[in-house]
C-alpha cells in the first residue's frame, strides 16, 4: 500500500494532503490548525471510505459519491470534526454503498 503525507504553507494557506492507493485526500485552511490533527482526520476519512466502499479507488468514490458526501456531512459540523468511527457514523448514514463489480 502506497501512503504519502505532505504539508505546505503558502501565502497564508495550509495545504495538507495524503495519498492513499493513488487517491488524494486534501485539506486546506487559512486558519492555524494542527497539521497532525489534519492528517489524522484525512486518515480517518480514508478509513471510513474503505469501511463503507470496500476499497479506496476512483471508481468506488465515483459510484458512492452520495454516500461519501453523507459521511462527510456526519463527521464534520461547521468545519469541526465530530465522531469519526465507523460504528458511531453507521447509525446516521442512510445510503448503502454500491460495491465495485469484479
Amino acid at each position: 500500500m502506497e501512503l504519502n503525507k505532505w504539508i505546505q504553507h503558502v501565502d497564508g494557506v495550509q495545504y495538507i494532503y495524503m495519498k492513499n492507493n493513488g487517491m488524494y485526500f486534501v485539506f486546506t485552511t487559512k486558519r492555524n490548525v494542527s497539521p497532525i490533527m489534519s492528517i489524522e482526520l484525512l486518515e480517518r476519512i480514508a478509513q471510513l471510505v474503505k469501511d463503507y466502499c470496500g476499497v479506496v479507488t476512483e471508481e468506488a468514490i465515483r459510484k458512492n459519491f452520495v454516500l461519501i458526501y453523507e459521511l462527510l456531512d456526519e463527521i464534520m459540523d461547521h468545519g469541526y470534526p465530530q465522531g469519526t468511527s465507523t460504528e458511531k457514523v453507521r447509525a446516521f448514514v442512510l445510503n448503502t454503498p454500491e460495491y465495485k463489480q469484479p
Side-chain angles (χ1 to χ4, degrees), residues 45-62:
I45 290 171
Q47 185 61 45
L48 272 173
V49 170
K50 184 176 180 186
D51 288 347
Y52 273 86
C53 300
V55 292
V56 179
T57 62
E58 184 177 351
E59 184 178 349
I61 290 174
R62 215 180 276 139

Side-chain angles (χ1 to χ4, degrees), residues 21-34:
N21 291 334
M23 297 299 303
Y24 289 90
F25 292 84
V26 181
F27 182 97
T28 62
T29 183
K30 287 188 173 186
R31 295 185 179 204
N32 188 17
V33 298
S34 167

